[in-house]
Amino acid sequence: MNHWLVAPIVLPAILAPLMVLWMRHDLPLQRVVSVAGTVLLCAVAGGLLAMSADTPPEVYRLGNWPAPFGIVLVLDRLAALMVALTAFLALMVLLYVIGTGWDRRGHHFHPLFQFQLMGLCGAFLTGDAFNLFVFFEVLLIASYGLMIHGGGRTRLRAGVQYVAFNLLGSTLFLFGLATIYGVTGTLNMADLGVKVATLPESEAALVRVAGVILLAVFAIKGALVPFQFWLPGTYAAAPGPVAALFAVMTKVGAYAVIRVFGLVFPTDTPATGGLYSDLLLPAALVTLVLGAVGVLGAASLGRMVAFAAIASMGTLFVAISGFRPDATAAALYYLLHSTLATAVLFLIADLVQARRGGDGLAARRPPIAQEGLIASLFFAGAIALAGMPPLSGFVGKLQILDAFRGPSMVWVWAVILGSSLVMILGFSRAGSLLFWRSHETLTEPDPIAPSPLAFVAVGGLLAALVALTLAGGPVSAHLRDIAAELHDRAPYIRANILPESQP
Amino acid sequence: MSLALIAALPFLGALLPGLLIRSGRNACALATGTVTALALLMLGLHAPAVLSGEVIHTRIEWMPALGLNANFFLDGLGLLFAGLILGIGLLIILYARFYLSSRDPMGQFYTYLLLFQGAMVGIVLSDNILLLLVFWELTSLSSFLLIGYWKHLPEGRQGARMALAVTGTGGLAMIAGMLILGQIAGSYDLSVILQSREAIQASDWYLPALVLILLGCFTKSAQFPFHFWLPHAMAAPTPVSAYLHSATMVKAGLFLMARMWPVLAGTPEWFYLVATTGLVTMVVAAKIALFKDDLKALLAFSTVSHLGLVTMLLGFGTKAAAIAAIFHIINHATFKAALFMCAGIVDHETHTRDLKRLGGLRRLMPVTFALSTIAALSMAGVPPLNGFLSKEMMLEEVAHTAWAGQVWLMPAFATLGALFSVAYSLRFIAHGFLGPVRKDYPSKPHDPPFGMWAAPAVLVLLLVAIGLAPMPVAGWLVDAAAGATTGGLVHAHISHWHGLTPALWMSVAAIGGGLILLSAHRPLMRAWLATPRPEAKRLFDGVLEPLATAARGVTQGLHDGALSRYFAIATVAVVTAGAAAFLTGSHQGGTRAPTPVDLVPVVGWFLLIAATVALVLRHHDRFLSLVFVGVVGLIVSMGFAYLSAPDLALTQILVEVATVILLLLALNFLPKRTPAETGLARRLRDGAIACAAGLGSGGLIYLLMTRNAAFPSIADYHLANAKTGGGGTNVVNVILVDFRGFDTFGEITVLGIAALVIFALTETVLRAGPANDRLLGWSQRHRQAGDRHPLMFVVATRMVLPIALMVGIYIFLRGHNLPGGGFIAGLVVAVAALMQYMASGFGWTSARKRVEYHALIAVGVLIAAAAGVGSWFAGRPFLTSAYGYVTLPPLEKFELATAMVFDIGVFLTVLGAVMLALASISRIAVRAGERVSATPYDVDLPGDGYGDR
């Protein structure tokens, strides 16, 4: 049994309490440990990524109980990819946090950050539906702590909305799990895949309901209309770097849809058929439109980026709703892109806000310190998120457009392209207000303490976007392999070594 | 490789000016010029081969699966355009060095310029339409930066955004068009697409693709009705106008039409769409140009008009027309770039571009006058200059082209356009340079330094040369480019005299009419100003601003923080989708027989319902709500007990106790009643939604409870293996610490995190700020018990404490086999400790606390993790348990399981989490003025500090 599989969960789960125990009052030490731990996580994730590339999915039986009776972790290429993405993003965000001193503004930032990583990695690695719920809880509570880090009226109020709405998701998750367990008698995802496929016709209606409920749960995490309400306030009010980290949290929802619906409810399942695809596509299109419209109408930078995040989730869910290998491959590429792009724009928005001393776009302010540099970074980030060339957003959208041919083509194309335009308008308006109109006043910018580490983080994320673009060929090829493996289902199920007949 | 390098060079070089501006403006300009010259040189090296008919390819694989590859090719058309872009680029760089003032950030300017240049070269060299799209959008983006270069000017910012909006729209339409085209042809490579004329024109998707691609071309090339952005883009510095808006970017649309000519042209759709648009644009824009007083606006509309001319020629779909189009592209680039630079010189020297304030510059700026005049005459189409030659060719083509059967229509309008063109060209000279010298120029004008007029001079020389000897100077280039456009061998015949053709008469009419128009300009201008006409900017703003406002209204309105609406919408969505999914699937009722109804559950059921209804009715009273919630919780615990789940019942009841106590403490800091905020209609709506959701979940639960799972449940395995595999007879506990110990590990982490968050939140609230101020000013308005720490209570809790600890340990130890376990034990001990706090207060109890609650949580999670990691050393996976039997002499043989270590972790975390939450709330109470007592109970003892704060 390969213990490295569980390392991405255990490592932060040990570091976080260690920090609470021994270095509660020593921020520098916490920083050292946190960075070291995240670097280590990156290394482990890189190793897992390399390991998964040329081996079939691998299973780790927790407590040494066989599937489906115990909990298993499953490392397939998708899980490895998501863990690696999380680890990289986390490292960049952490550097930014240290560079800007965000961690000084409240208590327990680093332990909560590590717990958050534990939740994320666990959600990506687990092969058990109930265990997924547990990690959703870890995620939720840790993210709530991070979200209200630093306090303040707006933030705390948004925090209540965030946690309340997501508790609705947790409740629904339990309903969904209870239903599917009541029908199939199992919780292991591979086993669910096998059993739902061979379900007697009399059980179809209930399992359809279970799927709908689970879809709603993941839609809440992924901010899909009509479950997106929590996102704008939360992301806009959260500390910038935390919002950046949250870029991967919405992806947990997207990942869960790919994983659970690809494995348990593929479109050729007799009981469910194309039901979820039919529900997902219109919702995703509306999400995309709403996000784009929000970008155009946003009155503050934070909300603008938040709506852009919603739009990118819409695009992602459009691609996912195809439930075909080519669409899934496009979705995965876009997933990588949109995580990095959303994160980098949140960091840049934080840089701007720290210098402007406020969030409103319309407020007249003198030019900010380091304006040239930050404006170029914003330009690059906005290009990426709006899906303009030359960055990966454009390539990603091309792949999605290319994957949708046939009856749904007109709608998908029109919405994706039209929303790009609206977002371009929104971003150009914001950029013009922030970085150009400031030159109407001729006062000197307020000096600000330099934070090279913050720029390293932003640069690192942008560099990743550039790399994702330039290495588009090999990356896409790998993603196509992942998509093929997902839609084949057999390797994943085989890895679980399910018993032929149960005792 | 080298073609890719030509396209990449400007991008790579774009870094240089930004850095070298630190070495001075000359170094900066020189570096920029060197980059462009280098690219031009590399292009020139390929020229001989291309002119001899060869097509040069460079292929680099990028994303083969998508069909997006960095494939480049160079043919005659590409050579012409790349030459124009780089050649004129070089002149612009020279000109800009002298044009920009020392206050302008020159490094930025050249960086943007090179980015733009690279994008343009990329467009004309691309052999892959997806790659072409990449460069196409890049020109929009880089021109956005260039137009907005003077950040302090509102017109510049608005012009930049307008240009981006219009060309961006077109670009996105073109993406769709190109994708369709590629899908028809089966490849995104241009070389393949150019061979697929039949397939493309026969396809059902031909028209959509054509329209979408043309949208891109028309917006980029400012064709009617998308022409309005170009004049507003003139807020840019003049070098930008000269480069982007006369010579290169606006010609990208023309280039693409020429590039796609072999596959798209030749159909009636193409003719009517392209030729008509071109004709209308030519005439309308020429007319507007005549009435513009701003030199650059005049030139801008004249550019639009000439672009229309070329578009129209391409629309004809004939070889001869294509030749004329290509030739005019060359000519227009020469005279219009020269004119823009001259206009810039005038602006630079006189500080105005308004024709009404100019005039008489002939004597003050002789060099500029000479250059402007020659270029303007060429623009007017006066022989023998090059403008005349291509205009003649245009008129010749128009003369025998019928529009919808009308032979006269095209010639008439084309002549009209040419006539306006003559008029505005001559006006440029007459009103700008001729006439008497004035005394009221904003600045005293004189000719600029050589460096500034050198660039237009080169262009003027070129246009004269082409005009005098068209065949040797430009014929070869036209042949190569037109050959590449039409996909065949071309030999152009360009000459000044074709005999007394209709074209000649049309030309004569245009020049004569133009002179008459110019002489009547004053009254015409009055008439023009008197007539209402659509103002593009107002229209654009009129659409965009309300759109943005509406967008704000919708999104802000939807996301205004109204949690109850969020919940309502989400609930309705889930219930509707769930019901629909259920009703569309086949279903059969369950077979499980219902259990008989006893009295106890019926009573419990009624209590549950009553408590819930009461909660809904009295929810404004927070204290009462909490009581009802407590009732619900107790009944649920009883339900568990009744249904033979003692572990659950124990856990539930303890959780109820702990949470109710904590909530009671928290309630102290909330208003006693919640405000009534919702009207009756809203309450009814929400009530209906809640009922639907409740009935839905109730129905679902009923369906699940009346059936058995379709397959044997995993629970059977757990029952069978709890003792043999997990070493315990209490299956629930074995599931918690062994079968699904990993879940428990996650859940105790959640509990620990929750406590940490409560602590962090409290710290935040207690920092200086409004919340803290409110607490400091807290008044105890309510009656309080006279005896805060009653003696009886204190004594009782002291006595309970050791017993409770004992019970806790007992429950912990028996857990693996009988109801109990770490979680329950943790809660028992926590409740016992809670009681001490309640009895004797925070201060007294804390003083006797030996362990930090943070540490309890941390150690708990660490022990649980260690129990998991420990199994690695036995070569087993995380959290694998082992058990054995031990005999210690006085005791009977008993079992020890490693799961117990894990359970200790659970125990400590639960205890720590509850206590940390309590401690946090106590801190708030202290801040709010609660007295801290150091004594166990409130009796007057001398010197005990009673009453101290």
Side-chain angles (χ1 to χ4, degrees):
Chain A
M1 198 112 326
N2 182 355
H3 298 306
W4 287 112
L5 260 71
V6 77
I9 303 169
V10 172
L11 178 70
I14 290 179
L15 285 183
L18 271 184
M19 279 191 261
V20 174
L21 186 59
W22 281 330
M23 32 197 120
R24 208 155 62 239
H25 305 294
D26 189 345
L27 190 60
L29 193 58
Q30 283 186 34
R31 287 177 170 181
V32 170
V33 172
S34 202
V35 169
T38 313
V39 168
L40 208 58
L41 183 66
C42 281
V44 171
L48 291 178
L49 192 63
M51 201 155 68
S52 71
D54 40 34
T55 51
E58 205 175 334
V59 154
Y60 188 80
R61 295 173 167 184
L62 289 152
N64 211 13
W65 295 105
F69 312 110
I71 299 169
V72 292
L73 303 181
V74 183
L75 179 81
D76 66 347
R77 296 182 215 184
L78 177 61
L81 182 76
M82 297 304 298
V83 170
L85 176 68
T86 306
F88 173 74
L89 178 67
L91 184 60
M92 293 300 131
V93 168
L94 197 57
L95 292 182
Y96 184 92
V97 165
I98 294 172
T100 48
W102 260 107
D103 51 354
R104 231 179 282 129
R105 301 195 198 176
H107 281 258
H108 292 328
F109 183 89
H110 292 286
L112 289 174
F113 189 84
Q114 292 296 330
F115 276 131
Q116 170 89 3
L117 294 185
M118 170 195 173
L120 286 165
C121 293
F124 293 135
L125 282 168
T126 187
D128 185 280
F130 188 83
N131 196 234
L132 183 64
F133 165 79
V134 171
F135 280 112
F136 267 40
E137 294 302 288
V138 176
L139 265 183
L140 172 61
I141 192 73
S143 65
Y144 174 62
L146 289 174
M147 198 237 125
I148 56 172
H149 179 77
R153 193 188 173 85
T154 333
R155 195 169 290 152
L156 292 180
R157 178 172 290 191
V160 170
Q161 302 206 340
Y162 170 65
V163 85
F165 206 80
N166 276 278
L167 283 176
L168 173 71
S170 302
T171 313
L172 282 175
F173 205 161
L174 288 179
F175 269 100
L177 288 174
T179 310
I180 204 160
Y181 178 74
V183 172
T184 62
T186 189
L187 287 167
N188 175 285
M189 294 204 276
D191 200 27
L192 281 172
V194 173
K195 296 213 162 125
V196 169
T198 54
L199 207 61
E201 212 187 318
S202 59
E203 313 290 315
L206 280 176
V207 89
R208 286 164 73 90
V209 174
V212 165
I213 296 175
L214 290 178
L215 191 64
V217 173
F218 303 149
I220 289 177
K221 274 277 175 288
L224 189 75
V225 169
F227 305 105
Q228 84 298 352
F229 298 104
W230 61 273
L231 193 141
T234 306
Y235 279 35
V242 171
L245 183 69
F246 282 10
V248 76
M249 221 172 50
T250 42
K251 304 306 182 293
V252 175
Y255 162 83
V257 172
I258 297 177
R259 173 68 82 209
V260 172
F261 285 81
L263 188 62
V264 182
F265 305 106
T267 42
D268 57 358
T269 308
T272 54
L275 173 66
Y276 306 115
S277 178
D278 295 344
L279 285 174
L280 199 52
L281 182 59
L285 290 174
V286 177
T287 308
L288 178 48
V289 171
L290 181 90
V293 170
V295 170
L296 182 64
S300 75
L301 188 56
R303 278 183 90 86
M304 190 179 76
V305 186
F307 276 105
I310 290 185
S312 82
M313 288 313 293
T315 314
L316 179 55
F317 276 119
V318 167
I320 292 174
S321 77
F323 289 118
R324 287 186 312 275
D326 56 342
T328 304
L332 292 177
Y333 187 89
Y334 195 80
L335 186 151
L336 293 178
H337 157 80
S338 90
T339 307
L340 298 169
T342 312
V344 81
L345 212 54
F346 270 117
L347 293 187
I348 295 165
D350 188 62
L351 286 176
V352 174
Q353 282 174 33
R355 284 162 178 75
R356 266 170 76 86
D359 194 22
L361 288 173
R364 284 177 182 272
R365 295 277 156 79
I368 57 174
Q370 298 164 300
E371 187 186 63
L373 179 58
I374 293 177
S376 349
L377 293 174
F378 177 82
F379 189 66
I383 285 177
L385 206 49
M388 293 285 276
L391 289 175
S392 41
F394 182 72
V395 184
K397 278 191 181 171
L398 278 187
Q399 292 188 29
I400 296 173
L401 295 179
D402 192 57
F404 275 86
R405 307 179 189 182
S408 53
M409 173 174 138
V410 174
W411 280 103
V412 171
W413 285 28
V415 170
I416 289 187
L417 292 173
S419 60
S420 298
L421 175 71
V422 178
M423 281 168 73
I424 293 167
L425 293 179
F427 278 124
S428 62
R429 175 174 156 273
S432 160
L433 287 175
L434 289 175
F435 302 113
W436 282 353
R437 200 174 61 169
S438 53
H439 288 263
E440 284 178 355
T441 55
L442 285 173
T443 44
E444 284 299 306
D446 295 331
I448 185 161
S451 49
L453 211 50
F455 288 96
V456 168
V458 174
L461 286 171
L462 279 177
L465 281 173
V466 172
L468 186 62
T469 317
L470 290 180
V475 170
S476 298
H478 183 67
L479 297 178
R480 268 165 202 270
D481 288 347
I482 295 182
E485 187 181 273
L486 286 174
H487 287 275
D488 183 15
R489 307 199 305 141
Y492 189 96
I493 293 174
R494 212 178 303 126
N496 276 271
I497 322 180
L498 303 169
E500 294 295 315
S501 59
Q502 293 179 0
Chain B
M1 191 61 215
S2 77
L3 287 182
L5 203 57
I6 297 176
L9 209 53
F11 287 113
L12 298 175
L15 292 172
L16 286 180
L19 295 173
L20 282 176
I21 186 65
R22 290 167 182 274
S23 314
R25 288 148 59 87
N26 285 330
C28 180
L30 199 65
T32 315
T34 313
V35 170
T36 307
L38 210 60
L40 189 62
L41 179 74
M42 287 169 63
L43 184 76
L45 292 178
H46 288 298
V50 172
L51 291 175
S52 68
E54 217 177 297
V55 178
I56 297 161
H57 286 273
T58 301
R59 295 178 177 281
I60 302 169
E61 207 163 72
W62 183 7
M63 305 191 64
L66 176 62
L68 167 57
N69 289 313
N71 293 346
F72 296 94
F73 79 129
L74 183 65
D75 62 355
L77 188 64
L79 182 69
L80 166 67
F81 271 90
L84 276 179
I85 292 158
L86 293 171
I88 295 185
L90 211 50
L91 297 176
I92 295 290
I93 291 165
L94 170 67
Y95 177 78
R97 161 64 189 83
F98 295 92
Y99 180 86
L100 292 179
S101 81
S102 52
R103 282 193 310 276
D104 298 322
M106 187 182 269
Q108 261 179 39
F109 182 84
Y110 280 130
T111 296
Y112 297 163
L113 199 75
L114 282 180
L115 286 178
F116 169 77
Q117 194 177 71
M120 276 309 297
V121 173
I123 289 182
V124 301
L125 294 186
S126 290
D127 184 16
N128 182 291
I129 48 176
L130 299 184
L131 185 68
L132 189 147
L133 288 172
V134 170
F135 288 119
W136 186 275
E137 297 286 22
L138 275 180
T139 58
S140 299
L141 291 172
S142 49
S143 71
F144 172 75
L145 295 176
L146 282 167
I147 298 170
Y149 174 71
W150 279 327
K151 299 165 187 165
H152 53 279
L153 295 181
E155 307 86 60
R157 302 199 297 263
Q158 281 160 8
R161 282 170 57 198
M162 191 192 283
L164 184 65
V166 177
T167 58
T169 311
L172 290 166
M174 206 168 81
I175 292 177
M178 288 295 197
L179 283 172
I180 296 175
L181 202 62
Q183 294 186 357
I184 300 173
S187 164
Y188 290 121
D189 276 354
L190 258 175
S191 341
V192 179
I193 292 173
L194 290 181
Q195 307 300 322
S196 322
R197 178 192 164 97
E198 284 77 23
I200 287 168
Q201 297 199 350
S203 163
D204 290 340
W205 288 95
Y206 167 70
L207 191 62
L210 178 68
V211 170
L212 290 168
I213 293 176
L214 286 180
L215 260 178
C217 296
F218 288 170
T219 48
K220 201 78 163 181
S221 287
Q223 295 299 292
F224 183 85
F226 308 112
H227 59 290
F228 57 89
W229 68 267
L230 188 57
H232 290 283
M234 292 298 149
T238 303
V240 175
S241 312
Y243 194 33
L244 274 65
H245 305 130
S246 76
T248 56
M249 188 177 81
V250 289
K251 294 220 169 79
L254 304 184
F255 166 80
L256 199 68
M257 283 190 270
R259 185 47 99 206
M260 291 295 172
W261 197 89
V263 277
L264 296 180
T267 61
E269 293 95 330
W270 169 273
F271 173 79
Y272 284 109
L273 281 173
V274 179
T276 315
T277 307
L279 181 69
V280 172
T281 309
M282 177 169 94
V283 178
V284 170
K287 188 190 77 180
I288 300 175
L290 182 59
F291 298 108
K292 287 291 167 187
D293 285 327
D294 180 359
L295 282 181
K296 279 176 78 175
L298 185 156
L299 291 176
F301 278 104
S302 124
T303 303
V304 173
S305 165
H306 281 269
L307 294 171
L309 187 160
V310 177
T311 303
M312 178 183 74
L313 284 172
L314 288 170
F316 288 169
T318 63
K319 208 173 214 178
I323 296 172
I326 295 291
F327 189 40
H328 196 72
I329 287 173
I330 301 175
N331 297 335
H332 179 252
T334 54
F335 64 69
K336 190 54 63 67
L339 281 172
F340 262 115
M341 292 195 220
C342 289
I345 292 174
V346 170
D347 186 18
H348 201 260
E349 300 302 326
T350 65
H351 293 187
T352 181
R353 303 191 306 244
D354 192 343
L355 279 175
K356 287 201 293 284
R357 304 185 61 185
L358 292 169
L361 295 177
R362 179 168 55 109
R363 291 173 201 290
L364 300 168
M365 308 173 71
V367 178
T368 315
F369 168 62
L371 296 174
S372 305
T373 308
I374 299 171
L377 287 177
S378 176
M379 175 159 79
V382 174
L385 297 166
N386 61 353
F388 168 75
L389 295 171
S390 44
K391 193 179 71 175
E392 279 290 280
M393 288 163 78
M394 179 272 287
L395 293 173
E396 179 64 33
E397 290 308 311
V398 166
H400 43 74
T401 304
W403 195 92
Q406 306 294 319
V407 237
W408 59 270
L409 195 134
M410 290 215 111
F413 277 102
T415 313
L416 188 64
L419 188 149
F420 284 127
S421 175
V422 171
Y424 67 68
S425 302
L426 296 180
R427 180 166 180 245
F428 186 92
I429 306 168
H431 292 186
F433 292 91
L434 303 182
V437 174
R438 299 168 66 145
K439 297 210 162 34
D440 59 344
Y441 303 116
S443 169
K444 188 165 165 43
H446 51 78
D447 265 324
F450 169 72
M452 204 159 171
W453 62 259
V458 170
L459 289 169
V460 167
L461 276 180
L462 199 63
L463 75 87
V464 172
I466 298 176
L468 295 180
M471 285 311 286
V473 179
W476 47 276
L477 192 55
V478 173
D479 285 353
T485 303
T486 56
L489 271 185
V490 166
H491 284 292
H493 298 285
I494 309 168
S495 64
H496 292 88
W497 182 250
H498 301 91
L500 293 172
T501 53
L504 185 67
W505 295 119
M506 284 150 78
S507 228
V508 170
I511 293 177
L515 283 170
I516 296 168
L517 268 190
L518 184 62
S519 61
H521 188 264
R522 202 177 290 265
L524 284 174
M525 188 79 177
R526 270 199 298 275
W528 166 263
L529 290 176
T531 47
R533 53 192 184 281
E535 171 63 41
K537 186 170 151 16
R538 215 177 311 130
L539 276 178
F540 186 79
D541 289 348
V543 173
L544 208 61
E545 276 311 308
L547 263 187
T549 314
R552 177 162 318 156
V554 169
T555 50
Q556 298 286 77
L558 268 179
H559 301 86
D560 58 352
L563 204 51
S564 59
R565 174 163 11 91
Y566 298 176
F567 275 120
I569 294 175
T571 312
V572 167
V574 174
V575 171
T576 320
F582 184 81
L583 295 175
T584 49
S586 60
H587 176 74
Q588 217 168 17
T591 52
R592 213 187 251 183
T595 48
V597 184
D598 285 344
L599 181 64
V600 178
V602 170
V603 172
W605 188 81
F606 271 111
L607 275 174
L608 194 63
I609 300 288
T612 312
V613 171
L615 173 62
V616 170
L617 293 178
R618 301 299 304 274
H619 72 273
H620 284 301
D621 187 334
R622 285 195 157 116
F623 180 73
L624 215 51
S625 317
L626 192 57
V627 173
F628 290 132
V629 170
V631 172
V632 171
L634 283 178
I635 295 173
V636 172
S637 321
M638 282 161 59
F640 285 143
Y642 183 79
L643 294 170
S644 322
D647 284 277
L648 293 186
L650 271 174
T651 313
Q652 180 71 35
I653 206 157
L654 287 164
V655 167
E656 283 296 325
V657 171
T659 46
V660 166
I661 291 176
L662 291 178
L663 274 171
L664 276 173
L665 293 174
L667 269 193
N668 213 14
F669 302 98
L670 293 172
K672 298 296 167 248
R673 296 183 63 80
T674 57
E677 290 162 329
T678 39
L680 183 66
R682 278 275 294 281
R683 286 210 298 271
L684 286 176
R685 183 201 74 180
D686 291 350
I689 293 173
C691 286
L695 287 174
S697 34
L700 184 63
I701 292 165
Y702 176 79
L703 292 179
L704 289 172
M705 288 196 305
T706 51
R707 66 180 47 231
N708 293 313
F711 305 95
S713 158
I714 52 170
D716 302 341
Y717 178 92
H718 294 153
L719 287 169
N721 288 278
K723 180 70 184 160
T724 53
T729 50
N730 178 5
V731 184
V732 174
N733 184 266
V734 177
I735 290 178
L736 282 177
V737 298
D738 201 335
F739 288 120
R740 300 192 70 93
F742 197 56
D743 278 344
T744 311
F745 182 54
E747 289 297 356
I748 60 167
T749 312
V750 170
L751 203 56
I753 301 172
L756 293 182
V757 170
I758 293 174
F759 173 80
L761 191 57
T762 312
E763 291 293 316
T764 313
V765 169
L766 294 183
R767 271 194 323 221
N772 187 47
D773 295 344
R774 271 227 305 282
L775 281 179
L776 284 176
W778 198 265
S779 67
Q780 295 289 356
R781 278 157 303 188
H782 302 279
R783 285 189 301 137
Q784 293 188 314
D787 189 0
R788 296 192 307 155
H789 305 302
L791 186 61
M792 287 293 284
F793 189 31
V794 173
V795 173
T797 52
R798 291 297 177 281
M799 287 170 61
V800 164
L801 181 64
I803 301 171
L805 289 178
M806 203 61 210
V807 170
I809 293 169
Y810 172 68
I811 285 183
F812 176 83
L813 288 176
R814 78 201 283 256
H816 216 44
N817 292 309
L818 292 164
F823 201 94
I824 300 173
L827 283 170
V828 167
V829 174
V831 170
L834 271 179
M835 307 267 266
Q836 310 306 314
Y837 277 95
M838 285 172 68
S840 296
F842 183 71
W844 184 87
T845 321
S846 296
R848 277 145 191 83
K849 177 189 73 172
R850 300 279 166 78
V851 191
E852 285 277 340
Y853 299 134
H854 275 101
L856 272 184
I857 297 174
V859 169
V861 176
L862 281 173
I863 289 182
V869 172
S871 38
W872 288 351
F873 298 102
R876 296 273 190 279
F878 192 73
L879 278 178
T880 306
S881 69
Y883 64 94
Y885 294 91
V886 188
T887 324
L888 282 181
L891 303 172
E892 286 180 40
K893 184 180 87 168
F894 62 95
E895 181 194 335
L896 271 182
T898 55
M900 200 177 258
V901 179
F902 180 76
D903 226 8
I904 293 177
V906 175
F907 170 84
L908 290 176
T909 312
V910 171
L911 178 60
V914 175
M915 297 318 289
L916 188 56
L918 173 78
S920 300
I921 295 176
S922 308
R923 283 172 52 80
I924 293 182
V926 171
R927 183 63 52 92
E930 190 69 50
R931 276 170 302 149
V932 177
S933 52
T935 53
Y937 39 81
D938 295 344
V939 286
D940 260 332
L941 293 175
D944 69 339
Y946 176 76
D948 289 355
R949 282 239 165 146

